[in-house]
C-alpha cells in the first residue's frame, strides 16, 4: 500500500496532478478514480483515526469522506489547491459525525487520568514477545488522550502539531481566521502538554506511568486486544517522516512540546478504499453519481 504526497504542503505540482485526475474522473476514467483515491486515502484515514480513535469508526468515516469527494468533483472550481478543497470536506464531515463510543467514554483529562491511575502496574517487565503489545498500549493511550480535547481542538492539534499544517492552510480547512486557528492550536497544545508532564513517563522521567507497566492491565480491561491491534500493526512510516511541511509559522510552538511524541507514531496503512469505491461506482452507476448523464 502506497501513500500520496503530503496534501497539506500545497505543492503546485501535486495540486496540478490532482486537478488533472479530477478532470479525467469526470470524463468517466475509472483508472483516474483509483489513482485519485489512493493519493488521499491514507491521509484522510490517519486524520480520522486520530479524531475518532476506533479503527472501524475511522474506516467508515474515511469511506464516507472519499465517496463524498468523488461524487462532488464537479463542484471543484480550482479556486484553491485540490487538497484544500478535499480536506475541507473531510474536516467538515469529521466535525459533524455522530460521537463515537470512545468519545462518549472519555469525558476529559480528569477522567482519563483516573483510568490510568486505576489500571494496575505489572509486577514483571513485559517479555520480548510482548513488545508489539507495549507499542499498541503506547500509541493507543496517546491517541486516546486526544479524546480529552473537544473535536475541533482535536482536529486542529492533529493538523497543526502532528501533520505540520500551517495557519494559512489550517484556517482554510476549518473556515476560520488564522489567529483563531493559532489560538485553538496553542490551547490544545498547552492542555496536552500539561497532562503529559503531570502524568506520562514519556514526557517526564519523574512520572510513574509507564506504557510497559500498564500494558497487561490494558489487556485485562479490554483496552488493548492482542487479537486485533489497532495501532501497532503494519504501517507506512512514522508521521514525522511524511508530514514534512515544516512551514507552520507559529512562533510560540517550539519543538519541545507534545508534537514530537505524537509525530513519532506510525502513519497507518489504510484499507484499499480505491478498490471499495471502485466496486461501488463503476460504469453507469458511477456516471449517475457524478450527474454526467
Amino acid at each position: 500500500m502506497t501513500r500520496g504526497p503530503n496534501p497539506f504542503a500545497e505543492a503546485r505540482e501535486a495540486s496540478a496532478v490532482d486537478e488533472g485526475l479530477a478532470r479525467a474522473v469526470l470524463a468517466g476514467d475509472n483508472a483516474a478514480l483509483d489513482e485519485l483515491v489512493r493519493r488521499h486515502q491514507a491521509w484522510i484515514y490517519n486524520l480520522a483515526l486520530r479524531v475518532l480513535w476506533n479503527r472501524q469508526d475511522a474506516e467508515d468515516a474515511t469511506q464516507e469522506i472519499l465517496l463524498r469527494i468523488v461524487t462532488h468533483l464537479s463542484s471543484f472550481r480550482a479556486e484553491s489547491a485540490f487538497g484544500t478543497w478535499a480536506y475541507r470536506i473531510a474536516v467538515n464531515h469529521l466535525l459533524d459525525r455522530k460521537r463515537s463510543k470512545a468519545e462518549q467514554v472519555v469525558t476529559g483529562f480528569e477522567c482519563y487520568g483516573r483510568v490510568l491511575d486505576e489500571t494496575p502496574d505489572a509486577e514483571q517487565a513485559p517479555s520480548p514477545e510482548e513488545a508489539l503489545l507495549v507499542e499498541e498500549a503506547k500509541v493507543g493511550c496517546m491517541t486516546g488522550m486526544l479524546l480529552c480535547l473537544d473535536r475541533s481542538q482535536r482536529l486542529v492539534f492533529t493538523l497543526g502539531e502532528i501533520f505540520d499544517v500551517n495557519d494559512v492552510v489550517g484556517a482554510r480547512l476549518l473556515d476560520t481566521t488564522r489567529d483563531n486557528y493559532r489560538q485553538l492550536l496553542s490551547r490544545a497544545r498547552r492542555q496536552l502538554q500539561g497532562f503529559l508532564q503531570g502524568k506520562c513517563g514519556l514526557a517526564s522521567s519523574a512520572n510513574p506511568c509507564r506504557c510497559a507497566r500498564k500494558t497487561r492491565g490494558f489487556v485485562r480491561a479490554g483496552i488493548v486486544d492482542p487479537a486485533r491491534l489497532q495501532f501497532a500493526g503494519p504501517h507506512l512510516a512514522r508521521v514525522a517522516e511524511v508530514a514534512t511541511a515544516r512551514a507552520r509559522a507559529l512562533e510560540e510552538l517550539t519543538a519541545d512540546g507534545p508534537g514530537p511524541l505524537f509525530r513519532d507514531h506510525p502513519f497507518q496503512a489504510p484499507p484499499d478504499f480505491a478498490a471499495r469505491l471502485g466496486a461501488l461506482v463503476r460504469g453507469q452507476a458511477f456516471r449517475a453519481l457524478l450527474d454526467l448523464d
Side-chain angles (χ1 to χ4, degrees), residues 96-174:
D96 293 340
R97 202 171 194 273
K98 181 180 178 182
R99 284 169 56 83
S100 66
K101 290 182 179 179
E103 289 177 291
Q104 296 174 39
V105 170
V106 178
T107 58
F109 287 105
E110 183 178 351
C111 162
Y112 205 76
R114 187 165 57 250
V115 170
L116 291 177
D117 290 340
E118 293 174 354
T119 301
D121 291 341
E123 295 182 0
Q124 295 179 333
S127 66
E129 292 76 16
E130 293 177 300
L132 200 60
L133 290 180
V134 174
E135 177 73 3
E136 174 78 2
K138 180 185 79 172
V139 180
C141 180
M142 292 189 67
T143 305
M145 207 176 293
L146 297 178
L147 296 172
C148 299
L149 302 170
D150 66 45
R151 199 178 276 186
S152 61
Q153 281 186 295
R154 207 178 313 151
L155 271 164
V156 168
F157 183 83
T158 300
L159 290 169
E161 191 74 347
I162 299 177
F163 289 159
D164 274 328
V165 175
N166 64 40
D167 53 346
V168 175
V169 177
R172 291 173 187 164
L173 294 180
L174 278 90

Side-chain angles (χ1 to χ4, degrees), residues 3-27 29 31-44 66 69-70 72-74 76-88:
R3 65 176 185 272
N6 185 348
F8 305 118
E10 278 205 314
R12 291 183 179 181
E13 296 83 359
S15 187
V17 171
D18 286 331
E19 291 172 27
L21 289 170
R23 288 192 295 269
V25 172
L26 289 170
D29 187 336
L33 169 67
D34 287 351
E35 185 175 352
L36 184 63
V37 170
R38 288 196 171 100
R39 283 170 65 84
H40 293 281
Q41 61 183 9
W43 292 91
I44 293 173
L66 289 168
I69 288 171
V70 300
H72 286 75
L73 285 175
S74 61
F76 175 60
R77 297 288 180 261
E79 296 170 351
S80 62
F82 180 87
T84 302
W85 173 82
Y87 286 84
R88 280 196 69 175

Side-chain angles (χ1 to χ4, degrees), residues 276-292:
R276 292 185 186 181
L277 291 181
L280 287 174
V281 295
R282 293 296 186 205
Q284 193 66 26
F286 175 47
R287 295 179 66 82
L289 276 171
L290 295 175
D291 196 26
L292 294 175

Side-chain angles (χ1 to χ4, degrees), residues 45 50 80 199 234 267:
Y45 175 66
R50 285 160 178 80
S80 62
K199 183 69 64 176
F267 189 75

